Amino acid sequence: MSEENDNLLNEQEDNKETITKVSGMFKDWFLDYASYVILERAVPAIEDGFKPVQRRIMQSMKDLDDGRYNKVANIVGHTMQYHPHGDASIADAMVQIGQKDLLIDTQGNWGNILTGDSAAAARYIEARLSKFALDVIYNPKITEWQASYDGRKKEPINLPVMFPLLLAQGGEGIAVGLSTKILPHNFIELIDASIKHLKGKRFTIYPDFPTAGIVDITNYNDGLRGGKVRVRAKISQFDKNTLVITEIPFGTNTSSLIDSILKANDKGKIKIKKIEDNTAAKVEILVHLPGGISPDKTIDALYAFTSCESSISPLGCVIEDNKPLFVGVSEMLRRSTDNTVQLLKSELEIQLGEFEEQWHFASLERIFIENRIYRDIEEEETWEGVIQAIDKGLKPHTKHLKRAVLEEDIVRLTEIRIKRISKFDIDKAQQKIDALEDQIAQIKHHLANLIDYAITFFERLKRDYGEGRERQTEIRIFEDVDATKVVIRNTKLYVNREEGFIGTSLKKDEYVCDCSDIDDIIAFTKDGKMMVSKVDTKTFVGKDIIHVAVFKKKDKRTIYNLIYKDGSKGPSYVKRFAVTSVTRDREYDLTNGNKGSMVWYFSANPNGEAEMVTINLRQIGSVKKLKWDLDFAEVLIKGRASKGNRVTKHAIKKVELKEKGVSTLKPRKIWFDDTVQRLNVDERGELVGEFRGEDRILIITQSGTIKTIIPEITTHFDDDMIVMEKWIPKKPISAIYFDGEKERYYVKRFLVENESREENFISEHPNSQLEIVSTDWKPMAEVEFTKERGKDRKDNLKVNFEEFIAVKGISALGNQLTKDKINQVSLLDSLPYEAPEEIPAEEIEVVDETNVSDKNQIKKSSEDSTPNNNDDEAESDSLDDKGQTKLF
């Protein structure tokens, strides 16, 4: 029994040693799995820029390379010899490499990154290595190898890539608890940056996408975590009612882009008629607009509500020494360039060793044949004797050799054929040795000047492969689009004044205006209260509503004129104020706060108009003057919470509007910011001028079109715009142009005849071309003639436009400049002229735009008694509200 018990105890002990808890197994296996996904699947290596599957694909293509195309299915099968990836995943990875048009020369339907169309099946498409790939990726002599998964083949640990390939192609992957997103960069710019790094200069690199488009790299942050780039489609106006999208943002395709536009239209954010997709080799999406829809606002709305603008968050993560490394793109390029230098050094050292070996044997061969040492072995009967005889014969002649003669060298000498010995030419042998010495000297020079050699290498890459790889994505700083300013008014706002409700569902009540579902609404009541509230189906703001409108945040041009009674028996006050920012759904008291206060008169004036009203008093007691006029232009604009100026201490019977007023605001100063190609009022860029309500901007393009527009912040400008200035209707435009039909140069002066229409002022022949245009009062030009063979060049001709031609209609051909051939036409300094002065408006400093902050401040009055109210900012929108006037 004791033996049985001992055996049982031993078995129990053995079982205890083999038991492993599930939690421990899960921890070990999960870490193994996570490490495998990070290192072997998702994240590229910094050394060569490849993920493992990509590296195996490239090695397989090299194995199969014979200069001809191979079926992708064949390459996929060969790749599986290195690792049993799924055939579909290998094919997908290969298609992604091929679509980047750098390493693989493709044939067949490889899909379309613009439309999102997928590639054909792997058995139908073919591929071979590009010349660039063969040039910079492969060199088995400097490649480190490892056994494949089954030990049957050797695969590269890293390929010797002599180019910042990872930055050129970009990379994206999601691992366990880790991800990477490296954006593609421009081929030529990467080479230039590598050269700058080798020269010790500073450099910056920015993304460049194969889908082109526009990118704002303000917050790129060198591609590190936390950075962000904004990408936009390139949208322009095709005609009056049509927009055309010619480039799309990275990460989208035409199908997804059109879907996002249709969804925005269905939601009422934008309004379009139809979309045509004409994309083939290049993107062309036509967006047709209904009549009366602003193309400029629609462009901004496309950026605000569709995939025409998107944000990309880069994350630079790579594998280095089997560990994840978070690094910026500048450091990636530095490391890649330094790695290229080391690879070039290794390559040169191997070449040096090979040439020195060739020189060594060529020298031995010459000594062996020239001194007839081969005859010393004729009497030797053993192999050892042969070796010794040759060694003895060589010794007197080997002092100049760079290394000792080894037995392997002597064996090679014995393998020389008699035919070669009999035809040996001493001069040719010496020439070969001299050529090898030159090559050795050249390689040593390269090694001694390794940085210069690397710079020459990169310059050769740029020269050989840089053609056609110029930057595709335009770098531009974007101006933020205020969604509330470009959204389509897709619903109607109603008000029940008596009960105090506003909303979109009160269709039986009074219609106010069109609005959008992201607008804020401002409402004023008869008891002097004000509230801003979000658009909703039905909202209570207070009984006896006297004014409702869409609220514009930071709007200092809309001025409210108010006369109110302070308390039930108090005096009456007048005030003018703007409402720039408020806390939503908070009730503000515009009176002095006493019980029984009420509004006698109220008006909202979108351009600061100041009307004249008549004050009528009640006939009580000894009041003599019962009626007089009050001009709001004499009342200063003060803060919203100010008490105001006293009108009268007596009881008012009624207030009547006597005369509508004009704007008391200073003309708007408008600037043009060339960086973002937009107008603004916050002093960015170049001052265009001061604009009143009727003033317009003159725009002239290189293609010979002219138009005037009302200055709006949302305006988009053509790329070929050459003149943009404040339009002075009486100032003529002068131009010299080449008429393609008559093949002559003409001079013309004209005025803009139709301010609301775009017109051509040169002939529409395809060869017609605008040479110069001037908007000066008295411009001068100089004509340089072409030199005729055998004749002296004619003297330059100076043209005074005012004397050369009178002002005619815009459609007039003009006067012929000359019959002689012209080399070039250039503008000279204009003649002096004093332009008529404009009548200045009253200088009242008021900020005039709703979507930007201006440095002008509303005038303050010493009589103003302003309570300490803190106004919090609320969301807002802009709407051209005409204002409402109520009399009581």
Side-chain angles (χ1 to χ4, degrees):
M1 287 292 293
S2 60
E3 290 182 3
E4 292 179 0
N5 290 335
D6 290 340
N7 291 334
L8 183 61
L9 290 172
N10 290 334
E11 289 179 7
Q12 291 176 351
E13 289 295 328
D14 292 340
N15 290 337
K16 286 181 181 178
E17 291 176 0
T18 59
I19 292 176
T20 303
K21 292 184 178 180
V22 174
S23 59
M25 293 166 58
F26 177 79
K27 181 179 179 181
D28 294 340
W29 292 351
F30 182 78
L31 288 176
D32 290 343
Y33 168 73
S35 299
Y36 171 77
V37 172
I38 292 171
L39 301 177
E40 298 294 329
R41 274 198 196 171
V43 185
I46 194 171
E47 289 84 2
D48 59 4
F50 287 122
K51 298 178 184 180
V53 65
Q54 296 172 333
R55 189 178 301 114
R56 289 164 183 145
I57 290 170
M58 299 308 297
Q59 184 58 42
S60 294
M61 293 191 70
K62 177 62 175 174
D63 294 342
L64 297 171
D65 183 58
D66 58 1
R68 296 181 298 173
Y69 287 99
N70 286 288
K71 288 289 186 182
V72 169
N74 188 22
I75 299 171
V76 169
H78 192 278
T79 304
M80 295 179 76
Q81 296 180 21
Y82 291 111
H83 192 281
H85 301 280
D87 57 346
S89 62
I90 296 174
D92 288 344
M94 189 170 176
V95 167
Q96 289 179 18
I97 298 173
Q99 288 179 340
K100 291 170 183 175
D101 192 27
L102 189 60
L103 302 180
I104 298 178
D105 186 3
T106 62
Q107 184 167 276
N109 178 15
W110 281 67
N112 191 329
I113 59 172
L114 299 177
T115 61
D117 295 335
S118 58
R123 62 185 178 274
Y124 296 126
I125 56 178
E126 298 177 331
R128 66 182 176 188
L129 290 171
S130 67
K131 291 181 180 179
F132 174 75
L134 291 168
D135 197 350
V136 302
I137 289 183
Y138 303 103
N139 190 334
K141 295 175 182 177
I142 58 174
T143 303
E144 293 185 49
W145 303 87
Q146 64 183 359
S148 63
Y149 77 103
D150 60 0
R152 287 190 174 93
K153 295 183 73 70
K154 286 185 178 180
E155 62 174 315
I157 297 174
N158 288 302
L159 287 168
V161 178
M162 300 184 193
F163 179 77
L165 187 63
L166 179 58
L167 293 173
Q169 294 194 128
E172 186 173 358
I174 300 175
V176 180
L178 190 70
S179 66
T180 183
K181 194 176 186 70
I182 300 164
L183 302 181
H185 294 70
N186 181 259
F187 182 91
I188 297 174
E189 291 174 8
L190 288 175
I191 292 178
D192 291 339
S194 293
I195 293 173
K196 285 183 179 179
H197 171 61
L198 292 172
K199 291 181 177 179
K201 298 179 180 179
R202 298 178 64 183
F203 64 88
T204 52
I205 52 175
Y206 300 116
D208 184 28
F209 305 117
T211 56
I214 312 169
V215 62
D216 185 342
I217 44 78
T218 306
N219 299 316
Y220 185 42
N221 193 30
D222 203 39
L224 289 165
R225 187 202 305 264
K228 183 180 72 171
V229 297
R230 295 164 61 192
V231 288
R232 279 183 177 178
K234 183 165 281 188
I235 310 174
S236 57
Q237 189 172 342
F238 186 73
D239 57 37
K240 185 178 180 182
N241 293 317
T242 309
L243 303 177
V244 58
I245 301 174
T246 53
E247 297 174 9
I248 60 176
F250 182 65
T252 65
N253 54 61
T254 55
S255 299
S256 62
L257 194 69
I258 290 172
D259 286 344
S260 71
I261 294 173
L262 293 175
K263 287 179 181 178
N265 181 65
D266 293 341
K267 292 179 180 178
K269 303 293 185 185
I270 61 175
K271 190 174 288 186
I272 63 171
K273 200 175 189 179
K274 65 174 181 176
I275 295 182
E276 290 182 55
D277 186 5
N278 300 328
T279 302
K282 294 184 178 180
V283 174
E284 184 181 293
I285 302 173
L286 297 178
V287 182
H288 298 274
L289 308 179
I293 298 296
S294 166
D296 286 326
K297 285 191 176 181
T298 303
I299 291 175
D300 282 344
L302 289 171
Y303 290 141
F305 302 115
T306 74
S307 298
C308 289
E309 178 180 332
S310 60
S311 294
I312 302 174
S313 298
L315 176 56
C317 179
V318 293
I319 298 299
E320 184 183 54
D321 297 330
N322 286 326
K323 291 182 293 185
L325 172 69
F326 292 92
V327 64
V329 294
S330 297
E331 182 62 22
M332 285 186 205
L333 184 118
R334 280 189 283 267
R335 293 189 183 215
S336 174
T337 306
D338 294 341
N339 184 53
T340 299
V341 173
Q342 293 305 312
L343 291 172
L344 290 170
K345 181 181 179 183
S346 299
E347 196 176 59
L348 287 171
E349 288 173 344
I350 290 173
Q351 290 177 6
L352 179 62
E354 290 174 347
F355 283 130
E356 286 181 340
E357 280 298 305
Q358 292 177 33
W359 179 89
H360 179 78
F361 185 74
S363 299
L364 277 179
E365 185 182 59
R366 179 183 174 183
I367 294 168
F368 181 71
I369 298 174
E370 187 177 352
N371 295 284
R372 302 178 185 276
I373 296 172
Y374 53 85
R375 290 185 176 180
D376 298 343
I377 66 174
E378 292 176 354
E379 297 179 359
E380 298 293 336
E381 297 179 354
T382 64
W383 179 250
E384 291 77 8
V386 171
I387 298 299
Q388 290 176 3
I390 296 175
D391 187 33
K392 184 179 179 181
L394 291 174
K395 278 185 179 179
H397 311 286
T398 57
K399 293 180 181 179
H400 69 287
L401 298 181
K402 298 177 182 178
R403 69 171 176 82
V405 179
L406 304 176
E407 185 175 342
E408 291 82 2
D409 300 328
I410 297 173
V411 171
R412 285 186 65 188
L413 291 174
T414 63
E415 295 172 353
I416 300 175
R417 295 183 178 184
I418 296 299
K419 186 178 179 180
R420 185 172 177 185
I421 293 174
S422 63
K423 292 187 175 183
F424 184 75
D425 188 328
I426 295 176
D427 292 335
K428 286 185 178 180
Q430 187 59 45
Q431 288 175 7
K432 180 180 178 181
I433 292 172
D434 292 342
L436 288 169
E437 287 177 347
D438 290 342
Q439 290 175 314
I440 289 170
Q442 186 180 27
I443 291 175
K444 286 183 175 179
H445 174 77
H446 291 331
L447 285 169
N449 301 276
L450 191 58
I451 299 301
D452 291 337
Y453 177 72
I455 291 172
T456 303
F457 171 79
F458 278 111
E459 288 174 343
R460 181 184 66 80
L461 291 183
K462 181 179 177 180
R463 184 174 60 254
D464 292 348
Y465 306 108
E467 186 178 353
R469 299 190 181 276
E470 293 77 16
R471 168 167 283 276
Q472 298 184 68
T473 305
E474 179 185 351
I475 297 176
R476 187 190 298 175
I477 297 175
F478 297 163
E479 190 163 81
D480 292 334
V481 176
D482 188 345
T484 60
K485 293 190 173 300
V486 297
V487 67
I488 294 295
R489 309 299 178 200
N490 54 6
T491 187
K492 298 182 183 299
L493 180 68
Y494 302 90
V495 60
N496 185 324
R497 297 181 183 275
E498 185 178 353
E499 298 296 328
F501 289 97
I502 59 174
T504 58
S505 63
L506 309 175
K507 297 183 180 181
K508 295 181 179 179
D509 295 307
E510 179 186 342
Y511 166 76
V512 179
C513 63
D514 288 348
C515 65
S516 73
D517 52 8
I518 61 173
D519 281 335
D520 287 307
I521 305 300
I522 188 169
F524 297 83
T525 58
K526 189 175 180 180
D527 58 357
K529 302 294 194 304
M530 179 193 77
M531 180 184 291
V532 172
S533 181
K534 192 78 175 175
V535 167
D536 206 342
T537 53
K538 187 177 181 179
T539 303
F540 179 76
V541 294
K543 293 187 176 183
D544 297 323
I545 297 173
I546 58 175
H547 177 74
V548 181
V550 173
F551 176 64
K552 308 174 188 180
K553 182 182 176 183
K554 296 182 181 178
D555 178 14
K556 295 182 180 179
R557 283 196 78 81
T558 298
I559 303 300
Y560 300 99
N561 298 337
L562 174 68
I563 299 175
Y564 71 93
K565 181 176 69 172
D566 182 19
S568 56
K569 296 183 180 180
S572 295
Y573 293 88
V574 59
K575 61 193 288 188
R576 301 182 73 203
F577 60 93
V579 179
T580 56
S581 61
V582 293
T583 300
R584 190 184 290 132
D585 297 325
R586 173 182 168 186
E587 186 178 76
Y588 291 86
D589 197 339
L590 302 175
T591 69
N592 206 25
N594 295 318
K595 187 176 181 180
S597 297
M598 64 168 288
V599 174
W600 287 115
Y601 179 89
F602 178 89
S603 67
N605 307 280
N607 202 34
E609 291 84 358
E611 64 271 31
M612 184 176 290
V613 296
T614 300
I615 308 295
N616 295 277
L617 299 184
R618 295 185 182 276
Q619 192 167 3
I620 300 175
S622 60
V623 179
K624 295 181 180 179
K625 190 176 182 181
L626 299 177
K627 183 177 181 181
W628 73 92
D629 294 338
L630 186 152
D631 189 353
F632 275 99
E634 297 175 357
V635 181
L636 293 179
I637 299 172
K638 304 178 183 179
R640 180 193 62 224
S642 67
K643 182 177 181 179
N645 300 333
R646 192 164 74 172
V647 178
T648 178
K649 64 180 179 179
H650 303 293
I652 293 178
K653 181 180 180 181
K654 63 179 179 179
V655 178
E656 297 176 320
L657 175 65
K658 181 178 181 181
E659 182 180 318
K660 291 184 178 181
V662 296
S663 175
T664 59
L665 301 182
K666 182 181 178 181
R668 293 189 303 171
K669 285 186 177 181
I670 293 181
W671 284 261
F672 178 72
D673 187 348
D674 188 58
T675 305
V676 297
Q677 292 282 300
R678 288 296 187 91
L679 299 173
N680 68 87
V681 293
D682 54 352
E683 303 183 17
R684 288 185 286 107
E686 183 179 350
L687 179 65
V688 180
E690 297 185 357
F691 291 79
R692 300 185 180 92
E694 68 278 4
D695 291 338
R696 302 174 76 90
I697 288 178
L698 174 71
I699 296 175
I700 303 175
T701 66
Q702 184 62 53
S703 57
T705 63
I706 188 168
K707 64 180 177 180
T708 65
I709 61 169
I710 296 172
E712 294 181 355
I713 305 302
T714 56
T715 303
H716 290 256
F717 296 94
D718 296 329
D719 293 335
D720 66 340
M721 179 181 68
I722 54 176
V723 173
M724 188 203 64
E725 61 182 41
K726 184 178 178 181
W727 178 48
I728 301 175
K730 294 183 179 180
K731 187 165 70 166
I733 291 93
S734 306
I736 296 177
Y737 72 97
F738 177 78
D739 186 279
E741 182 179 356
K742 299 183 180 296
E743 297 185 348
R744 291 284 188 273
Y745 287 88
Y746 288 88
V747 183
K748 66 187 299 183
R749 298 180 76 213
F750 60 92
L751 297 173
V752 175
E753 299 172 354
N754 192 335
E755 64 180 37
S756 60
R757 188 175 68 189
E758 180 177 277
E759 296 181 285
N760 283 325
F761 61 89
I762 67 174
S763 62
E764 297 184 2
H765 192 277
N767 293 333
S768 295
Q769 183 175 343
L770 177 64
E771 291 294 328
I772 59 170
V773 65
S774 174
T775 57
D776 292 338
W777 289 94
K778 291 186 175 184
M780 293 285 293
E782 185 175 37
V783 179
E784 180 183 303
F785 296 99
T786 303
K787 185 180 182 301
E788 296 183 25
R789 183 177 296 178
K791 296 182 180 180
D792 294 335
R793 188 194 299 271
K794 291 185 63 175
D795 293 336
N796 291 354
L797 172 67
K798 291 188 177 181
V799 179
N800 183 332
F801 283 86
E802 188 178 37
E803 295 176 354
F804 195 89
I805 186 172
V807 176
K808 299 182 179 180
I810 192 171
S811 59
L813 181 65
N815 292 354
Q816 183 174 299
L817 177 60
T818 178
K819 293 182 179 180
D820 298 314
K821 291 184 177 181
I822 292 175
N823 188 29
Q824 69 173 14
V825 183
S826 54
L827 279 172
L828 301 175
D829 292 337
S830 300
L831 297 175
Y833 178 81
E834 292 185 6
E837 295 184 1
E838 296 184 37
I839 301 173
E842 185 178 352
E843 297 282 321
I844 297 180
E845 296 282 351
V846 176
V847 180
D848 51 74
E849 270 304 327
T850 62
N851 64 333
V852 287
S853 59
D854 195 296
K855 296 180 181 178
N856 298 332
Q857 300 293 325
I858 296 179
K859 280 190 174 181
K860 301 294 180 181
S861 170
S862 59
E863 301 175 6
D864 186 12
S865 56
T866 305
N868 185 18
N869 288 349
N870 294 323
D871 296 336
D872 298 321
E873 214 170 67
E875 294 183 8
S876 65
D877 185 36
S878 86
L879 180 68
D880 293 333
D881 181 18
K882 299 299 181 184
Q884 297 181 11
T885 302
K886 298 292 288 185
L887 305 178
F888 302 96

